Amino acid sequence: MESSITLDVDGQARDVVVDHRTTLLDALRDRLGVTAPKKGCDHGQCGSCTVLLDGRRHLSCLTLAVAHDGAEVTTAEGLGGGDQLHAVQDAFLARDGFQCGYCTPGQVCSAVGMLDEAKQGHPSHVTDDLTSEVDLSDDEIRERMSGNLCRCGAYPNIVDAIREAAGA
């Protein structure tokens, strides 16, 4: 069975017809030509497909497109404004937070979502004090980004970039 849905992708309403079994990742990449989210493992284990879905980070390979008719989907391409990079993208460039770049769009979207979660006071498994503002220590950043894997091992630079963006 197929349905016509509308997704607001990176600020643009996009209509697409999808089978009810089509993942959001496949709808974006195969039907709409949006290639920022990557298909890494296709099992929700690597984070390469991470997008912001209505402002929250989601693994697009694990969610069905039809479940998000009318949703706002932000990919790494949709961050920032025009020629301006988002603070996280800028920090990734400044701190060399990537090597091959395959995981970078997912890392960037996850970092943006994670920084918003921390700003809202959401604790992680390593948050020491649940009654005060979240301190984004290296351990806190690593824990919050643990669902995003990098085969090249750029983790120290990714943590540095996120710490820099958090202060921006």
Side-chain angles (χ1 to χ4, degrees):
M1 179 176 243
E2 291 186 337
S3 291
S4 179
I5 64 170
T6 302
L7 299 171
D8 181 343
V9 181
D10 296 333
Q12 181 182 8
R14 309 275 304 268
D15 296 322
V16 62
V17 175
V18 293
D19 181 284
H20 287 191
R21 299 167 292 180
T22 302
T23 65
L24 179 59
L25 176 62
D26 289 338
L28 290 169
R29 291 185 61 83
D30 299 341
R31 305 286 166 73
L32 297 174
V34 178
T35 58
K38 304 295 186 244
K39 185 177 278 197
C41 66
D42 208 21
H43 295 292
Q45 297 175 345
C46 74
S48 293
C49 67
T50 303
V51 297
L52 299 175
L53 187 58
D54 292 327
R56 302 286 314 256
R57 55 187 171 154
H58 280 271
L59 299 170
S60 61
C61 75
L62 293 183
T63 188
L64 296 176
V66 294
H68 300 289
D69 185 18
E72 180 181 319
V73 180
T74 305
T75 71
E77 291 176 13
L79 296 171
D83 291 339
Q84 283 286 73
L85 293 176
H86 186 280
V88 171
Q89 293 169 316
D90 199 36
F92 265 67
L93 286 171
R95 297 292 182 175
D96 239 0
F98 55 90
Q99 284 184 25
C100 81
Y102 195 82
C103 71
T104 305
Q107 295 273 4
V108 167
C109 282
S110 189
V112 169
M114 179 274 290
L115 289 172
D116 188 50
E117 291 164 13
K119 187 183 296 183
Q120 292 178 31
H122 298 250
S124 77
H125 291 290
V126 299
T127 303
D128 289 331
D129 185 357
L130 300 179
T131 61
S132 66
E133 188 175 306
V134 175
D135 174 34
L136 283 178
S137 65
D138 287 359
D139 285 342
E140 188 77 36
I141 292 170
R142 283 188 202 98
E143 170 63 26
R144 290 172 181 268
M145 292 295 292
S146 64
N148 291 83
L149 304 179
C150 173
R151 296 185 324 181
C152 302
Y155 296 116
N157 297 356
I158 291 169
V159 171
D160 288 347
I162 294 170
R163 193 179 332 96
E164 180 178 309

